[in-house]
């Protein structure tokens, strides 16, 4: 059985597939031309053809509760899978996204890229928490490991696997980020009050 035999609107290669974590009959897949396709495999019917990004989409990942779908191409976009409407865009990588992974509670999204970095995103606040640099070529996969989710493994074209020991406590990670940004937040008069409230102690 080939899904694309019945789905002529999808053109070019398919780079990522992802089943909904709560509805196992719903398949999302993406590829060239910035398209995300939602398919009901039980009825063999297309649910939605979504023009999501300009270029290729190389990565898809649902949050554990299925409320958010993350897509990665030239940037990261978060979608509401029910309405298929955009939530926000996460900018920071300078090359195409290669993989996306949520931690077990869905509060942190790890993204990896051809730029050789891993970025950790606070999903409730839609903010960048940390950027992990160590590889010197494209990163192909990342995984949260151990019960506390405090270690991340990454694999790269440079032939190495790196284990990153970061503190999996979201509150402490936010606090460390605010300490680093404190001087900027305190002295930059052009920032909005909403931006300053990200770190209310500064």
């Amino acid at each position: 059985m080939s899904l694309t035999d019945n789905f002529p609107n999808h053109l070019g290669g398919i780079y990522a597939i992802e089943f909904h974590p709560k509805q196992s009959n719903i398949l999302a897949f993406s590829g060239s031309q910035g398209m995300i396709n939602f398919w009901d495999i039980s009825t063999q019917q297309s649910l939605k053809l979504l023009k999501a990004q300009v270029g290729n989409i190389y990565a898809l990942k649902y949050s554990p509760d299925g409320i958010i779908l993350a897509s990665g191409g030239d940037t990261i976009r978060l979608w509401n899978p029910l309405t298929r409407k955009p939530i926000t865009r996460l900018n920071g990588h300078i090359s195409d996204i290669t993989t996306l992974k949520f931690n077990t509670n869905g509060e942190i999204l790890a993204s990896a890229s051809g730029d050789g970095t891993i970025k950790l995103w606070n999903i409730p606040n839609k903010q960048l928490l940390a950027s992990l640099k160590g590889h010197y070529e494209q990163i192909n996969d990342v995984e949260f490991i151990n019960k506390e989710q405090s270690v991340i493994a990454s694999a790269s074209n440079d032939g190495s696997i790196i284990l990153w020991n970061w503190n999996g406590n979201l509150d402490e990670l936010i606090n460390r980020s605010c300490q680093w940004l404190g001087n900027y937040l305190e002295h930059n008069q052009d920032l909005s009050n909403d931006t300053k409230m990200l770190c209310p102690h500064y």
Side-chain angles (χ1 to χ4, degrees):
M1 178 181 66
S2 173
L3 297 184
T4 53
D5 285 346
N6 300 316
F7 205 169
N9 291 329
H10 185 89
L11 301 174
I14 295 174
Y15 303 130
I17 59 173
E18 176 77 356
F19 277 97
H20 194 286
K22 303 298 183 181
Q23 297 174 276
S24 59
N25 61 309
I26 304 301
L27 173 69
F29 61 98
S30 65
S32 58
Q33 302 184 359
M35 308 301 292
I36 299 177
N37 300 307
F38 295 89
W39 190 274
D40 187 334
I41 63 172
S42 63
T43 63
Q44 291 293 291
Q45 295 295 316
S46 169
L47 300 175
K48 179 72 174 181
L49 177 64
L50 177 66
K51 178 62 175 178
Q53 297 184 205
V54 175
N56 298 338
I57 299 176
Y58 298 105
L60 289 176
K61 197 65 182 177
Y62 280 106
S63 59
D65 56 12
I67 293 177
I68 294 173
L69 177 67
S71 66
D74 61 337
T75 187
I76 303 165
R77 294 177 187 261
L78 304 182
W79 303 89
N80 181 324
L82 183 61
T83 64
R84 281 93 187 189
K85 299 295 185 181
I87 298 172
T88 193
R89 179 187 301 185
L90 304 176
N91 295 318
H93 287 287
I94 58 174
S95 186
D96 286 337
I97 311 303
T98 55
T99 188
L100 298 164
K101 296 291 169 62
F102 283 94
N103 71 338
T104 52
N105 64 16
E107 291 187 352
I108 297 175
L109 176 68
S111 60
S113 167
D115 62 17
T117 68
I118 299 168
K119 296 190 183 297
L120 303 177
W121 305 90
N122 177 344
I123 294 305
N125 292 335
K126 315 298 187 296
Q127 298 292 322
L128 178 65
L129 294 173
S131 185
L132 308 179
K133 302 178 181 179
H135 292 291
Y136 58 88
E137 290 188 26
Q138 173 177 301
I139 299 173
N140 298 314
D141 201 9
V142 295
E143 288 288 347
F144 288 93
I145 59 177
N146 79 357
K147 183 178 180 181
E148 293 78 22
Q149 304 272 282
S150 60
V151 177
I152 295 175
S154 59
S156 169
N157 280 353
D158 62 19
S160 70
I161 296 173
I162 298 179
L163 299 181
W164 307 86
N165 189 5
W166 71 288
N167 191 321
N169 185 294
L170 183 57
D171 291 334
E172 184 166 336
L173 187 56
I174 293 173
N175 184 59
R176 284 164 52 198
S177 300
C178 285
Q179 289 175 3
W180 180 72
L181 288 169
N183 186 66
Y184 173 77
L185 293 173
E186 183 176 2
H187 297 289
N188 192 325
Q189 301 300 315
D190 296 328
L191 296 177
S192 68
N193 289 332
D194 288 341
T195 300
K196 292 181 178 180
M197 283 305 295
L198 294 172
C199 300
H201 298 299
Y202 291 93

